[in-house]
């Protein structure tokens, strides 16, 4: 098996990741999985919000730049089931 050299950039990334995990109090696989679920949730929510902004042509609370009759009609909680839970 060929051993790859770790670049200084990669070493710094690992160091930052370990610091993040320590600050978050994550010390087992279950904690990492929960953190990953939260990250996926945040990315999906932000992506969907951005898609809505693009579709409507204005961002949330920016009614002054609204140039359409279409609007945001409220918010309701939704559940998305993934392989992560």
């Amino acid at each position: 098996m060929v051993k790859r050299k770790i670049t200084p950039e990669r070493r710094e990334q690992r160091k930052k990741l370990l610091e993040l995990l320590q600050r978050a109090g994550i010390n087992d696989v279950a904690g990492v999985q929960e953190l990953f679920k939260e990250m996926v949730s945040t990315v999906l929510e932000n992506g969907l919000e951005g898609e809505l902004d693009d579709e409507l042509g204005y961002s949330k609370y920016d009614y002054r730049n609204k140039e359409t009759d279409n609007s945001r009609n409220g918010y309701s909680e939704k559940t998305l089931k993934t392989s992560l839970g």
Side-chain angles (χ1 to χ4, degrees):
M1 184 184 264
V2 178
K3 191 171 183 179
R4 293 183 285 168
K5 291 184 179 180
I6 299 175
T7 64
E9 294 84 15
R10 182 70 177 145
R11 187 172 285 119
E12 185 63 28
Q13 287 175 340
R14 285 184 179 182
K15 182 180 173 185
K16 288 178 181 179
L17 179 59
L18 287 173
E19 289 172 3
L20 171 69
L21 293 174
Q22 287 176 345
R23 278 185 284 157
I26 296 172
N27 53 11
D28 60 3
V29 175
V32 172
Q33 288 176 330
E34 188 61 35
L35 177 64
F36 190 70
K37 282 188 210 179
E38 290 176 30
M39 289 172 47
V40 168
S41 172
T42 300
V43 168
L44 286 175
E45 287 175 17
N46 289 340
L48 291 171
E49 187 68 35
E51 186 178 5
L52 186 60
D53 291 350
D54 188 53
E55 177 69 25
L56 295 177
Y58 68 98
S59 61
K60 198 172 190 178
Y61 308 117
D62 187 20
Y63 296 105
R64 294 180 188 184
N65 293 321
K66 181 180 172 184
E67 298 175 2
T68 178
D69 290 336
N70 200 351
S71 63
R72 298 168 193 269
N73 294 328
Y75 173 82
S76 61
E77 191 169 308
K78 300 186 178 50
T79 301
L80 177 67
K81 294 192 178 193
T82 68
S83 60
L84 299 172

